[in-house]
Amino acid sequence: MKVLVANLGSTSFKYRLFDMAQEQLVARGGVERIGAAQARTYCQVGERHWETIGPVPDHAAALEQCLHQLLHPEVAVLCSIHDLAGVGFKAVHAQGLTGVHRVTPAVLEAMEAYHAVAPAHNPIYVRAMRLLAERFPELPLVAAFETDFHRTIPPAQRLYAVPYEWAERFGIQRWGFHGASHRYVATRTAALLGRDRLRIISCHLGGSSSICAIEDGQSRACSLGMSPQSGLPHNNRVGDFDVFALPALLRETGKSLEELLDDLACRSGLLGLSGLSNDLRDLEQAAQAGHERARLALDVFVAAIRHYLGAYLCLLNGADVIVFTGGIGENSASLRQAVCQNLDWFSISLDEERNRTARGEAPIHAAHSRVQIWILPTNEELIVARQTRDLLLRQAASGGPPCS
Ligand code: ADP
């Protein structure tokens, strides 16, 4: 069974194609500059690489171009479109819905209802999924929601202290996101260490950042709450914020609520604090050169990470492993160093040399550290491919539409 996992940006379409018999990555590729006069469609199979240039007006045309490339006799990783069992999406949020679902009009409506809760993600996904469903009516589309892994979070960690019925009637609670990544960290760490009973603190630090407390493979808490704008500061999204600052801001700035929410969702986080960039590499470079607000943005980011790290050490009564993943978690030795400094009392110690030189999957703790510390490149697409396969097989077994 072949499953394509799609990752959508406003003008980009990226995919990974898996053969689920051996859970093998068969091809990766995508389209850049959708909607521009000249878009680039690319595809990589092992060491081989193909590329075409030409107009690609929308996301449905992007999938069409990619399938065309995958079916091309030179590439030939698909024999026909029927070779593809389905397309999986790492969907973010929907009103009253979590788990893994076939994309139906009802699912799209539930996602649409939360456009304003997940403004950077939902509108792009809903628009593209609608186009794909129209253009490829035979192709099963599957939405694997990022909130799914966090269904095991108990009420004490899940509920906000608001009128109780808001949670029950309106779903106002800490949902948690980055579920595919934290689930991957849970299963991969258990496999690497050869045991399932583990307390893991998973730090996914990238464009979006979150920390998850995992006990015996299950999520117990996540720094992301009702929306993907919460928790740690993100590249340009705010993170935790006191809503009672809003009346003061409305009055002082003269902006509307929508404009302020847009500031919090697009011009805050590392970008807002530094006034310089939303990219950690730029901030590290600038801070080294003496840029004060770049240093400040890094300090706030590190403080927030340590805040959740401390909370989750309490929650789990310690930890067996701390995992760093995501573009920042995997690549920034200095950020990892700053997060882990002065934690001797918890017996959390980095090996400086390992931390500086490690690449890929690697332990980076000192020999005397009771808590292991690992770098672990995440593989969210593999999790979505598994979830897509499992749903399609379940539906086929229960007399639903067949899958190849
Ligand atoms: P997304 O959340 O969009 O999937 P990623 O997990 O790919 O993002 O992380 C992207 C971020 O990773 C970039 O914004 C950048 O800040 C950071 N990053 C990437 N490479 C490095 C590096 N070598 N050093 C420090 N930070 C890096």
Side-chain angles (χ1 to χ4, degrees):
M1 176 196 270
K2 294 207 177 74
V3 170
L4 186 139
V5 177
N7 180 344
L8 310 177
S10 53
T11 61
S12 69
F13 174 92
K14 286 188 265 181
Y15 70 85
R16 293 196 192 179
L17 178 69
F18 291 91
D19 185 336
M20 294 312 288
Q22 295 87 31
E23 296 196 337
Q24 242 176 5
L25 179 69
V26 177
R28 64 204 299 171
V31 180
E32 282 171 359
R33 295 172 184 260
I34 294 172
Q38 301 289 8
R40 185 174 85 94
T41 305
Y42 57 96
C43 164
Q44 191 180 340
V45 180
E47 297 298 303
R48 297 179 306 153
H49 199 276
W50 294 267
E51 167 172 322
T52 58
I53 305 288
V56 179
D58 58 36
H59 283 85
L63 176 61
E64 216 160 39
Q65 287 289 323
C66 291
L67 290 175
H68 190 67
Q69 221 163 28
L70 293 168
L71 289 161
H72 192 279
E74 257 185 52
V75 184
V77 289
L78 290 178
C79 303
S80 84
I81 184 161
H82 304 295
D83 240 7
L84 194 59
V87 178
F89 296 88
K90 189 160 62 77
V92 173
H93 210 2
Q95 185 169 29
L97 202 64
T98 183
V100 185
H101 300 270
R102 283 286 281 269
V103 175
T104 60
V107 169
L108 290 170
E109 271 170 35
M111 290 177 70
E112 213 159 34
Y114 271 2
H115 270 12
V117 183
H121 305 93
N122 274 22
I124 295 168
Y125 271 76
V126 169
R127 199 176 327 115
M129 283 168 164
R130 278 224 164 91
L131 281 171
L132 291 175
E134 277 166 25
R135 191 81 57 91
F136 302 95
E138 307 281 289
L139 187 61
L141 307 180
V142 174
F145 284 97
E146 285 283 65
T147 47
D148 181 46
F149 181 58
H150 302 296
R151 289 206 250 187
T152 46
I153 293 179
Q157 296 295 328
R158 188 159 38 84
L159 292 175
Y160 291 114
V162 294
Y164 180 73
E165 63 274 16
W166 290 6
E168 290 218 312
R169 291 181 57 197
F170 310 127
I172 306 301
Q173 58 169 26
R174 292 190 179 93
W175 286 93
F177 300 89
H178 280 159
S181 181
H182 293 305
R183 190 192 291 277
Y184 179 79
V185 166
T187 50
R188 185 66 193 147
T189 307
L192 284 168
L193 271 59
R195 60 195 169 108
D196 293 328
R197 296 191 68 84
L198 282 172
R199 294 160 301 169
I200 302 168
I201 300 181
S202 170
C203 306
H204 179 119
L205 310 175
S208 304
S209 294
S210 70
I211 305 200
C212 181
I214 301 168
E215 188 178 26
D216 304 341
Q218 298 198 327
S219 174
R220 294 284 177 241
C222 180
S223 60
L224 285 162
M226 173 69 197
S227 83
Q229 284 76 246
S230 54
L232 303 172
H234 307 277
N235 58 357
N236 59 0
R237 281 170 285 139
V238 60
D240 287 339
F241 179 72
D242 185 340
V243 292
F244 278 90
L246 281 173
L249 281 167
L250 284 165
R251 200 176 52 241
E252 297 296 334
T253 63
K255 290 186 177 182
S256 66
L257 180 62
E258 285 66 32
E259 286 170 323
L260 287 175
L261 290 176
D262 197 53
D263 284 344
L264 293 169
C266 302
R267 283 171 289 284
S268 295
L270 297 176
L271 174 65
L273 271 170
S274 68
L276 182 71
S277 168
N278 66 7
D279 192 303
L280 195 95
R281 288 165 288 200
D282 297 338
L283 299 184
E284 287 186 332
Q285 225 174 16
Q288 257 189 340
H291 194 292
E292 279 185 23
R293 277 177 51 195
R295 167 55 51 207
L296 189 66
L298 293 174
D299 289 350
V300 170
F301 188 44
V302 169
I305 297 167
R306 285 167 66 90
H307 171 89
Y308 278 102
L309 184 60
Y312 294 168
L313 284 168
C314 268
L315 179 68
L316 298 176
N317 188 17
D320 299 300
V321 196
I322 296 171
V323 174
F324 287 98
T325 192
I328 295 171
E330 289 165 34
N331 293 304
S332 175
S334 57
L335 192 285
R336 293 191 300 261
Q337 172 81 40
V339 169
C340 295
Q341 74 180 345
N342 294 332
L343 297 178
D344 305 345
W345 188 80
F346 298 93
S347 192
I348 297 172
S349 297
L350 274 183
D351 180 308
E352 280 188 28
E353 177 66 12
R354 278 174 157 187
N355 181 45
R356 213 163 30 78
T357 54
R359 292 286 172 274
E361 252 174 23
I364 53 171
H365 49 277
H368 64 272
S369 181
R370 201 168 58 212
V371 179
Q372 297 197 25
I373 310 171
W374 281 72
I375 301 173
L376 217 158
T378 195
N379 194 344
E380 297 164 283
E381 290 82 4
L382 177 60
I383 296 295
V384 175
R386 284 177 183 160
Q387 291 173 313
T388 303
R389 170 198 62 196
D390 293 349
L391 178 79
L392 295 177
L393 289 177
R394 266 200 316 276
Q395 290 192 332
S398 66
C403 51
S404 43

